[in-house]
Amino acid sequence: MAVTVRPLRDDELRLYLEIHERAIRGLAVSHYSQDDIEGWVVPATDENLRRLALNADREIRFLAELDGKPVGIGALVLEESELRAVYVSPEGARKGCGSALVQAIERTARDNGVARLALFASLNAEQFYAALGYRSTARTEVVLPNGHRMAGMQMEKDL
Ligand SMILES: CC(C)(COP(=O)(O)OP(=O)(O)OC[C@H]1O[C@@H](n2cnc3c(N)ncnc32)[C@H](O)[C@@H]1OP(=O)(O)O)[C@@H](O)C(=O)NCCC(=O)NCCS
């Protein structure tokens, strides 16, 4: 199966959120409560789509396709040297799409002079990032929009 990664287009924001939601609901439930999941998912409301389009953090976004079908999304914030997001829907999982997204993100970061990338890994994704050379630096948590605290791992990698 052929995996390709390309920049996300401006008219694919709804698709971006759909893949994000499918990945969370399909692949992260083993490690998180229903409250965590509901706080983590970003519903494709007009308000959320507007915020995504505004892109205040200047995320550089990617789309992964498996045999031409969109299955994964990723995001990088250069100013923060942060790998912001990698999500693959269940039907595309364990076929190298997540790794291809990380490779594209790392290449873009390196090309822009970033020497080290940091990320917040959900607990279900820690082994994935470890397999790609990221080291865990601290157990941490983030406060979700619904006020719920979500546990995860701070990780980093020298590029
Ligand atoms: C984490 C995620 C992005 C991985 O995507 P993927 O396309 O399945 O990853 P890959 O196929 O490139 O996997 C590469 C390697 O990572 C490791 N890996 C991936 N998923 C794993 C898992 N669930 N458990 C253990 N190791 C895993 C394996 O070593 C794998 O190689 P292998 O399949 O040859 O054994 C995907 O599971 C996902 O979207 N999860 C839900 C959303 C999420 O948590 N995203 C991260 C937010 S921080």
Side-chain angles (χ1 to χ4, degrees):
M1 293 184 119
V3 178
T4 50
V5 174
R6 63 166 172 81
L8 187 84
R9 294 195 309 261
D10 291 344
D11 63 351
E12 292 175 323
L13 297 180
R14 187 177 290 278
L15 174 65
Y16 185 92
L17 291 183
E18 283 169 2
I19 291 172
H20 183 257
E21 176 166 0
R22 286 211 299 275
I24 294 169
R25 293 197 189 284
L27 298 170
V29 280
S30 50
H31 288 71
Y32 289 100
S33 70
Q34 202 54 40
D35 280 346
D36 290 327
I37 298 290
E38 297 311 326
W40 187 2
V41 164
V42 180
T45 59
D46 289 348
E47 173 59 24
N48 286 336
L49 287 165
R50 235 190 332 270
R51 195 172 306 123
L52 203 61
L54 199 60
N55 195 7
D57 287 354
R58 305 214 298 159
E59 292 179 356
I60 300 173
R61 297 172 181 144
F62 300 90
L63 186 83
E65 295 175 317
L66 189 62
D67 288 343
K69 186 175 179 293
V71 292
I73 53 112
L76 161 71
V77 179
L78 281 177
E79 289 80 358
E80 309 284 339
S81 300
E82 181 191 357
L83 190 164
R84 174 65 60 88
V86 177
Y87 291 80
V88 175
S89 9
E91 73 271 19
R94 298 306 279 266
K95 297 184 174 83
C97 296
S99 303
L101 283 160
V102 171
Q103 277 166 23
I105 286 169
E106 291 179 350
R107 194 179 321 117
T108 306
R110 264 195 308 270
D111 288 351
N112 285 278
V114 174
R116 178 182 294 176
L117 273 180
L119 61 87
F120 172 81
S122 51
L123 298 175
N124 56 286
E126 190 181 357
Q127 281 181 274
F128 162 71
Y129 289 118
L132 298 177
Y134 287 78
R135 59 185 173 272
S136 301
T137 54
R139 179 94 188 219
T140 179
E141 48 182 34
V142 289
V143 181
L144 298 169
N146 68 352
H148 210 73
R149 289 178 176 276
M150 177 182 166
M153 191 60 75
Q154 197 62 41
M155 302 182 79
E156 63 182 32
K157 178 180 177 179
D158 297 323
L159 299 181

